[in-house]
Amino acid sequence: MHDSGADNAPGVIVIAACTTLGTTLVVRLAGEIDCCSIAPLRALLASAAADGYTGLVLDTARVDFCDSSLLAVLDWWPRRGRRLTVANRSRAVRRLLIAAAVDVSGQPAAPAGPLMAAATS
């Protein structure tokens, strides 16, 4: 049996803490964020948005891996005037945000969206 080194097990995201500061939700994440693990975070944020929270701080210091599933959440939250801050970015999150800010030709993407702001702030 050949082991390619790829990890085929689904990732596990842990919502390590969730607190509020007025209308801002502060969420501390840990583990791996991918298409198999993102559902609890999406549900939490959808509920928070429905309850009127307008700010989100994601503390990602303990995120070991993340893929475009996190980008989808980061793109969705700022709609309708909601504010987003990605704090304490882990190496994996920094790498993803930098990659998202560059288009396929290697040129910086258009500096209009929240992902560019998250990558550069």
Side-chain angles (χ1 to χ4, degrees):
M1 175 187 219
H2 174 67
D3 180 11
S4 67
D7 182 3
N8 295 328
V12 176
I13 186 174
V14 175
I15 299 173
C18 184
T19 58
T20 59
L21 296 169
T23 60
T24 298
L25 186 67
V26 180
V27 180
R28 190 173 45 176
L29 301 173
E32 298 182 4
I33 302 171
D34 62 21
C35 64
C36 296
S37 68
I38 196 74
L41 180 60
R42 277 194 189 136
L44 173 69
L45 298 182
S47 178
D51 288 344
Y53 287 93
T54 58
L56 173 63
V57 176
L58 285 180
D59 182 329
T60 62
R62 295 178 51 209
V63 173
D64 301 320
F65 172 83
C66 55
D67 68 8
S68 62
S69 302
L70 178 60
L71 294 177
V73 168
L74 297 180
D75 186 50
W76 173 81
W77 180 264
R79 296 181 187 170
R80 296 182 180 86
R82 294 185 296 252
R83 299 172 320 281
L84 169 66
T85 302
V86 181
N88 301 320
R89 297 177 196 135
S90 70
R91 182 176 180 202
V93 172
R94 285 192 312 269
R95 201 170 36 233
L96 179 69
L97 292 175
I98 289 168
V102 176
D103 70 15
V104 292
S105 68
Q107 299 301 312
L115 292 180
M116 187 61 157
T120 59
S121 63

